[in-house]
Amino acid sequence: MNWNPDLIQEVRKRRPLVHQITNEVTVNDCANITLCCGASPVMAHALEEVAEMAGLASALVLNIGTLSADQVESMIQAGRSANEKGIPVVLDPVGAGATSFRTETAKKLLERIRISHLKGNAGEIATLAGERAQVRGVDSGHVDDIRTIAIKAAKKWGLTVIVTGEKDIITDGVKWAEVSNGHFLMGTITGTGCMCAPVVAAFAAVSKEPVSAAVSAMTTYGIAAEQAAESAKGPGSFRWKLFDALHSLDGAAVREYAQVEWGGA
């Protein structure tokens, strides 16, 4: 399967507007990481404007990390507007499996909106695939055979699944890719999972291939983390160095350092 290591250059050329209804804990980091990869963020949550804003955007991110009933309705309205425009919609089902409210909300969004990319940890994706999974708050518990579960979820919902972890799994239910780029320091700060959703959305906005866009996004993001970790002294410096690394990363470096394995059809 061909993928484009230079896709970040296209993001920077076209500067897609990424509308995000996202986690209050990580909203600032999500906006900054969007800028660092070359896209433009807009964080609009109000029901009175979400549909209009989504109609102006090039991609939409829905993150249920700090969920409320009002926010669910805003997400549905924004998602429907995005579907009418035909732009990619990335769903991050944070904490699905931890509470019934989160789990049922994630399923409702999957049923009512045409989602292009479902990005979550192993426990979240297993839950939405219909498998029993242990989820501790917003953290993933242990899940066996993650690739098989990712493929099952992709087939069930008819979209591209991204399972984040020590190795990221990307699949549309037929072909799959395993991305080994990244660093353990990503797990020491809040927000690295939330931040990769707008990166995926930005890449998907400039590509007609959902799996290829996701692979390019996750590889680029993982390499930026590796480069940030080289000089980081701990979680604090790693956080701001991650922004710097992604901002300065180019396609040539992505091509050189990418660790991607392909399988399936």
Side-chain angles (χ1 to χ4, degrees):
M1 174 73 182
N2 292 325
W3 64 286
N4 184 5
D6 299 313
L7 199 57
I8 191 169
Q9 307 301 125
E10 189 65 20
V11 173
R12 289 170 176 160
K13 178 182 177 181
R14 293 169 57 178
R15 294 192 62 81
L17 180 65
V18 181
H19 177 195
Q20 301 173 55
I21 303 177
T22 192
N23 191 331
E24 293 178 6
V25 176
T26 62
V27 61
N28 184 251
D29 283 345
C30 288
N32 283 326
I33 207 74
T34 307
L35 288 168
C36 289
C37 75
S40 297
V42 59
M43 323 309 261
H45 293 232
L47 183 59
E48 292 82 1
E49 68 169 351
V50 288
E52 183 179 2
M53 188 64 75
L56 299 172
S58 301
L60 173 66
V61 173
L62 305 176
N63 177 310
I64 67 170
T66 48
L67 198 56
S68 68
D70 289 342
Q71 189 186 67
V72 175
E73 184 58 32
S74 290
M75 288 182 173
I76 291 171
Q77 293 301 321
R80 287 174 174 169
S81 179
N83 287 169
E84 289 176 3
K85 188 177 181 182
I87 62 174
V89 179
V90 179
L91 173 61
D92 192 344
V94 179
T99 69
S100 57
F101 182 40
R102 289 172 184 264
T103 303
E104 293 309 311
T105 294
K107 290 179 180 178
K108 181 186 294 186
L109 295 172
L110 287 162
E111 290 166 353
R112 299 191 182 184
I113 301 168
R114 188 168 63 254
I115 304 294
S116 62
H117 296 80
L118 175 64
K119 181 218 72 71
N121 62 39
E124 293 158 355
I125 299 302
T127 296
L128 297 175
E131 300 286 336
R132 295 185 64 181
Q134 181 185 29
V135 179
R136 301 168 297 172
V138 298
D139 294 326
S140 179
H142 177 73
V143 174
D144 293 321
D145 201 357
I146 297 173
R147 186 192 302 160
T148 298
I149 289 173
I151 291 171
K152 180 178 179 179
K155 289 180 177 178
K156 178 176 181 177
W157 297 108
L159 41 64
T160 295
V161 166
I162 304 161
V163 184
T164 58
E166 186 175 349
K167 293 184 178 182
D168 302 319
I169 304 293
I170 299 102
T171 182
D172 61 0
V174 179
K175 54 185 174 291
W176 57 265
E178 185 175 274
V179 176
S180 297
N181 296 105
H183 196 273
F184 78 89
L185 280 174
M186 298 175 82
T188 66
I189 60 173
T190 299
T192 51
C194 294
M195 282 190 279
C196 75
V199 177
V200 170
F203 279 58
V206 300
S207 174
K208 296 181 180 180
E209 298 291 338
V211 173
S212 177
V215 171
S216 297
M218 298 305 295
T219 304
T220 302
Y221 187 55
I223 291 171
E226 292 170 352
Q227 294 185 350
E230 288 179 359
S231 58
K233 296 181 179 179
S237 58
F238 173 75
R239 176 178 170 274
W240 64 261
K241 286 177 180 290
L242 177 60
F243 292 135
D244 286 352
L246 185 59
H247 181 265
S248 61
L249 200 60
D250 59 21
V254 175
R255 189 180 303 274
E256 180 177 358
Y257 298 112
Q259 300 180 55
V260 182
E261 177 187 352
W262 287 94

Short mmCIF file of all heavy atoms in Angstrom, two decimals, residues 3-12 36-38 203 216-217 219-224 227 242-258:
data_model
loop_
_atom_site.label_atom_id
_atom_site.label_comp_id
_atom_site.label_asym_id
_atom_site.label_seq_id
_atom_site.Cartn_x
_atom_site.Cartn_y
_atom_site.Cartn_z
N TRP A 3 1.69 5.13 0.66
CA TRP A 3 1.27 6.22 1.50
C TRP A 3 2.23 7.37 1.25
O TRP A 3 3.27 7.19 0.62
CB TRP A 3 1.25 5.81 2.98
CG TRP A 3 2.59 5.45 3.55
CD1 TRP A 3 3.30 4.32 3.32
CD2 TRP A 3 3.38 6.25 4.43
NE1 TRP A 3 4.49 4.36 4.01
CE2 TRP A 3 4.56 5.52 4.70
CE3 TRP A 3 3.20 7.50 5.03
CZ2 TRP A 3 5.57 6.01 5.54
CZ3 TRP A 3 4.19 7.98 5.87
CH2 TRP A 3 5.36 7.24 6.12
N ASN A 4 1.88 8.55 1.70
CA ASN A 4 2.62 9.74 1.31
C ASN A 4 3.35 10.36 2.51
O ASN A 4 2.73 11.07 3.31
CB ASN A 4 1.66 10.76 0.70
CG ASN A 4 2.37 12.00 0.19
OD1 ASN A 4 3.60 12.07 0.20
ND2 ASN A 4 1.60 12.97 -0.26
N PRO A 5 4.65 10.10 2.65
CA PRO A 5 5.40 10.71 3.76
C PRO A 5 5.47 12.23 3.67
O PRO A 5 5.76 12.90 4.66
CB PRO A 5 6.80 10.09 3.60
CG PRO A 5 6.60 8.88 2.75
CD PRO A 5 5.48 9.21 1.84
N ASP A 6 5.21 12.77 2.48
CA ASP A 6 5.29 14.21 2.27
C ASP A 6 3.96 14.92 2.49
O ASP A 6 3.83 16.12 2.18
CB ASP A 6 5.77 14.51 0.85
CG ASP A 6 7.15 13.95 0.57
OD1 ASP A 6 8.04 14.14 1.41
OD2 ASP A 6 7.33 13.31 -0.49
N LEU A 7 2.97 14.22 3.03
CA LEU A 7 1.64 14.82 3.15
C LEU A 7 1.63 16.04 4.05
O LEU A 7 0.80 16.94 3.88
CB LEU A 7 0.64 13.77 3.66
CG LEU A 7 -0.85 14.08 3.43
CD1 LEU A 7 -1.14 14.30 1.96
CD2 LEU A 7 -1.71 12.97 4.00
N ILE A 8 2.55 16.11 5.00
CA ILE A 8 2.61 17.28 5.86
C ILE A 8 2.89 18.55 5.05
O ILE A 8 2.44 19.65 5.40
CB ILE A 8 3.66 17.11 6.99
CG1 ILE A 8 3.49 18.23 8.02
CG2 ILE A 8 5.08 17.05 6.44
CD1 ILE A 8 4.26 18.03 9.30
N GLN A 9 3.60 18.40 3.93
CA GLN A 9 3.86 19.57 3.08
C GLN A 9 2.56 20.06 2.45
O GLN A 9 2.35 21.27 2.29
CB GLN A 9 4.86 19.20 1.99
CG GLN A 9 6.15 18.58 2.49
CD GLN A 9 6.91 19.49 3.44
OE1 GLN A 9 7.24 19.12 4.57
NE2 GLN A 9 7.17 20.71 3.01
N GLU A 10 1.68 19.13 2.10
CA GLU A 10 0.39 19.51 1.53
C GLU A 10 -0.49 20.18 2.58
O GLU A 10 -1.24 21.12 2.27
CB GLU A 10 -0.31 18.27 0.96
CG GLU A 10 -1.55 18.56 0.15
CD GLU A 10 -1.27 19.33 -1.13
OE1 GLU A 10 -0.11 19.32 -1.60
OE2 GLU A 10 -2.23 19.94 -1.67
N VAL A 11 -0.42 19.71 3.82
CA VAL A 11 -1.15 20.36 4.91
C VAL A 11 -0.70 21.80 5.05
O VAL A 11 -1.53 22.73 5.14
CB VAL A 11 -0.96 19.60 6.24
CG1 VAL A 11 -1.59 20.37 7.40
CG2 VAL A 11 -1.56 18.20 6.15
N ARG A 12 0.59 22.01 5.03
CA ARG A 12 1.11 23.37 5.20
C ARG A 12 0.80 24.25 4.00
O ARG A 12 0.61 25.46 4.15
CB ARG A 12 2.62 23.30 5.45
CG ARG A 12 2.93 22.73 6.82
CD ARG A 12 4.39 22.42 7.03
NE ARG A 12 4.59 21.95 8.41
CZ ARG A 12 5.63 21.26 8.81
NH1 ARG A 12 6.60 20.94 7.94
NH2 ARG A 12 5.74 20.88 10.08
N CYS A 36 0.93 23.60 14.70
CA CYS A 36 2.28 23.10 14.49
C CYS A 36 2.39 22.18 13.28
O CYS A 36 3.46 22.08 12.67
CB CYS A 36 2.79 22.38 15.74
SG CYS A 36 3.14 23.49 17.11
N CYS A 37 1.32 21.50 12.93
CA CYS A 37 1.40 20.65 11.74
C CYS A 37 1.04 21.42 10.47
O CYS A 37 1.13 20.87 9.37
CB CYS A 37 0.54 19.39 11.89
SG CYS A 37 -1.23 19.63 11.73
N GLY A 38 0.64 22.68 10.62
CA GLY A 38 0.42 23.52 9.46
C GLY A 38 -1.03 23.81 9.14
O GLY A 38 -1.33 24.49 8.16
N PHE A 203 -4.53 15.92 8.14
CA PHE A 203 -4.00 15.11 7.05
C PHE A 203 -5.15 14.56 6.19
O PHE A 203 -5.06 14.52 4.96
CB PHE A 203 -3.13 13.98 7.59
CG PHE A 203 -1.74 14.39 7.94
CD1 PHE A 203 -1.49 15.39 8.87
CD2 PHE A 203 -0.64 13.75 7.37
CE1 PHE A 203 -0.20 15.77 9.20
CE2 PHE A 203 0.66 14.13 7.70
CZ PHE A 203 0.88 15.13 8.62
N SER A 216 0.07 8.43 7.46
CA SER A 216 0.97 9.58 7.35
C SER A 216 0.92 10.44 8.60
O SER A 216 1.96 10.88 9.12
CB SER A 216 0.60 10.43 6.13
OG SER A 216 0.76 9.72 4.93
N ALA A 217 -0.29 10.66 9.12
CA ALA A 217 -0.44 11.49 10.31
C ALA A 217 0.20 10.86 11.53
O ALA A 217 0.96 11.51 12.26
CB ALA A 217 -1.93 11.75 10.56
N THR A 219 2.47 8.49 11.69
CA THR A 219 3.92 8.37 11.52
C THR A 219 4.60 9.70 11.78
O THR A 219 5.59 9.78 12.52
CB THR A 219 4.25 7.86 10.11
OG1 THR A 219 3.58 6.62 9.87
CG2 THR A 219 5.75 7.66 9.94
N THR A 220 4.06 10.75 11.20
CA THR A 220 4.62 12.09 11.39
C THR A 220 4.59 12.49 12.86
O THR A 220 5.59 12.98 13.42
CB THR A 220 3.85 13.11 10.54
OG1 THR A 220 3.90 12.72 9.16
CG2 THR A 220 4.43 14.51 10.70
N TYR A 221 3.47 12.26 13.50
CA TYR A 221 3.31 12.60 14.91
C TYR A 221 4.26 11.78 15.78
O TYR A 221 4.90 12.30 16.72
CB TYR A 221 1.86 12.35 15.30
CG TYR A 221 1.45 12.80 16.69
CD1 TYR A 221 1.64 14.10 17.12
CD2 TYR A 221 0.82 11.90 17.56
CE1 TYR A 221 1.22 14.50 18.39
CE2 TYR A 221 0.40 12.30 18.82
CZ TYR A 221 0.60 13.60 19.22
OH TYR A 221 0.20 14.01 20.47
N GLY A 222 4.40 10.50 15.48
CA GLY A 222 5.30 9.63 16.24
C GLY A 222 6.76 10.03 16.09
O GLY A 222 7.52 9.99 17.06
N ILE A 223 7.15 10.39 14.88
CA ILE A 223 8.54 10.82 14.66
C ILE A 223 8.80 12.13 15.40
O ILE A 223 9.88 12.31 15.99
CB ILE A 223 8.82 10.97 13.15
CG1 ILE A 223 8.82 9.60 12.48
CG2 ILE A 223 10.15 11.68 12.91
CD1 ILE A 223 8.86 9.64 10.97
N ALA A 224 7.84 13.04 15.40
CA ALA A 224 8.00 14.28 16.16
C ALA A 224 8.22 13.98 17.64
O ALA A 224 9.06 14.61 18.30
CB ALA A 224 6.78 15.18 15.97
N GLN A 227 11.80 12.74 18.16
CA GLN A 227 12.77 13.84 18.09
C GLN A 227 12.68 14.73 19.33
O GLN A 227 13.70 15.20 19.83
CB GLN A 227 12.55 14.65 16.81
CG GLN A 227 12.85 13.84 15.55
CD GLN A 227 12.76 14.66 14.28
OE1 GLN A 227 12.29 15.81 14.29
NE2 GLN A 227 13.20 14.10 13.18
N LEU A 242 7.69 18.70 21.82
CA LEU A 242 6.85 18.02 20.84
C LEU A 242 6.26 19.03 19.86
O LEU A 242 6.23 18.78 18.64
CB LEU A 242 5.73 17.27 21.56
CG LEU A 242 4.70 16.56 20.67
CD1 LEU A 242 5.35 15.51 19.78
CD2 LEU A 242 3.61 15.92 21.53
N PHE A 243 5.81 20.17 20.36
CA PHE A 243 5.30 21.22 19.47
C PHE A 243 6.40 21.68 18.51
O PHE A 243 6.18 21.81 17.30
CB PHE A 243 4.81 22.42 20.29
CG PHE A 243 3.59 22.15 21.11
CD1 PHE A 243 3.52 22.57 22.43
CD2 PHE A 243 2.49 21.48 20.57
CE1 PHE A 243 2.38 22.33 23.19
CE2 PHE A 243 1.36 21.25 21.33
CZ PHE A 243 1.30 21.67 22.64
N ASP A 244 7.58 21.95 19.05
CA ASP A 244 8.69 22.42 18.22
C ASP A 244 9.08 21.38 17.16
O ASP A 244 9.33 21.73 16.00
CB ASP A 244 9.92 22.72 19.10
CG ASP A 244 9.77 24.00 19.90
OD1 ASP A 244 8.79 24.75 19.67
OD2 ASP A 244 10.63 24.26 20.76
N ALA A 245 9.14 20.12 17.57
CA ALA A 245 9.56 19.07 16.64
C ALA A 245 8.58 18.92 15.49
O ALA A 245 8.99 18.80 14.32
CB ALA A 245 9.72 17.75 17.39
N LEU A 246 7.28 18.92 15.79
CA LEU A 246 6.30 18.79 14.72
C LEU A 246 6.33 20.01 13.81
O LEU A 246 6.22 19.88 12.58
CB LEU A 246 4.90 18.60 15.31
CG LEU A 246 3.79 18.34 14.29
CD1 LEU A 246 4.07 17.09 13.47
CD2 LEU A 246 2.43 18.23 14.97
N HIS A 247 6.51 21.17 14.39
CA HIS A 247 6.55 22.40 13.60
C HIS A 247 7.70 22.39 12.59
O HIS A 247 7.57 22.91 11.48
CB HIS A 247 6.69 23.61 14.54
CG HIS A 247 6.73 24.93 13.84
ND1 HIS A 247 7.91 25.57 13.51
CD2 HIS A 247 5.73 25.72 13.39
CE1 HIS A 247 7.64 26.70 12.90
NE2 HIS A 247 6.33 26.82 12.81
N SER A 248 8.83 21.80 12.96
CA SER A 248 10.01 21.83 12.09
C SER A 248 10.16 20.59 11.23
O SER A 248 11.05 20.53 10.37
CB SER A 248 11.27 22.01 12.94
OG SER A 248 11.43 20.93 13.84
N LEU A 249 9.29 19.59 11.41
CA LEU A 249 9.41 18.33 10.69
C LEU A 249 9.03 18.52 9.22
O LEU A 249 8.11 19.25 8.90
CB LEU A 249 8.51 17.28 11.33
CG LEU A 249 8.80 15.81 11.06
CD1 LEU A 249 10.20 15.43 11.54
CD2 LEU A 249 7.75 14.94 11.76
N ASP A 250 9.76 17.83 8.33
CA ASP A 250 9.40 17.87 6.91
C ASP A 250 9.26 16.46 6.37
O ASP A 250 9.55 15.47 7.04
CB ASP A 250 10.43 18.67 6.10
CG ASP A 250 11.84 18.11 6.19
OD1 ASP A 250 12.01 16.91 6.53
OD2 ASP A 250 12.79 18.86 5.92
N GLY A 251 8.82 16.37 5.13
CA GLY A 251 8.57 15.08 4.51
C GLY A 251 9.80 14.22 4.40
O GLY A 251 9.72 12.99 4.50
N ALA A 252 10.96 14.84 4.18
CA ALA A 252 12.20 14.07 4.05
C ALA A 252 12.51 13.32 5.33
O ALA A 252 12.92 12.14 5.31
CB ALA A 252 13.35 15.00 3.68
N ALA A 253 12.31 13.96 6.47
CA ALA A 253 12.57 13.31 7.76
C ALA A 253 11.55 12.20 8.01
O ALA A 253 11.90 11.14 8.53
CB ALA A 253 12.53 14.34 8.89
N VAL A 254 10.30 12.45 7.65
CA VAL A 254 9.27 11.42 7.81
C VAL A 254 9.64 10.19 6.99
O VAL A 254 9.57 9.05 7.45
CB VAL A 254 7.89 11.95 7.40
CG1 VAL A 254 6.85 10.84 7.45
CG2 VAL A 254 7.47 13.11 8.31
N ARG A 255 10.06 10.42 5.76
CA ARG A 255 10.45 9.31 4.88
C ARG A 255 11.63 8.53 5.46
O ARG A 255 11.68 7.30 5.38
CB ARG A 255 10.81 9.87 3.50
CG ARG A 255 11.02 8.82 2.42
CD ARG A 255 11.38 9.50 1.10
NE ARG A 255 10.37 10.45 0.71
CZ ARG A 255 9.28 10.14 0.02
NH1 ARG A 255 9.07 8.87 -0.31
NH2 ARG A 255 8.41 11.06 -0.32
N GLU A 256 12.58 9.24 6.06
CA GLU A 256 13.79 8.60 6.57
C GLU A 256 13.52 7.78 7.82
O GLU A 256 14.08 6.68 7.97
CB GLU A 256 14.84 9.66 6.88
CG GLU A 256 16.15 9.09 7.42
CD GLU A 256 17.21 10.15 7.66
OE1 GLU A 256 16.95 11.35 7.37
OE2 GLU A 256 18.30 9.78 8.15
N TYR A 257 12.69 8.29 8.71
CA TYR A 257 12.53 7.65 10.03
C TYR A 257 11.26 6.83 10.20
O TYR A 257 11.06 6.22 11.25
CB TYR A 257 12.59 8.73 11.11
CG TYR A 257 13.90 9.46 11.16
CD1 TYR A 257 13.98 10.81 10.81
CD2 TYR A 257 15.08 8.80 11.53
CE1 TYR A 257 15.19 11.49 10.85
CE2 TYR A 257 16.30 9.47 11.56
CZ TYR A 257 16.34 10.82 11.22
OH TYR A 257 17.53 11.47 11.23
N ALA A 258 10.41 6.79 9.18
CA ALA A 258 9.15 6.06 9.29
C ALA A 258 9.37 4.58 9.54
O ALA A 258 10.25 3.96 8.94
CB ALA A 258 8.33 6.25 8.02
#
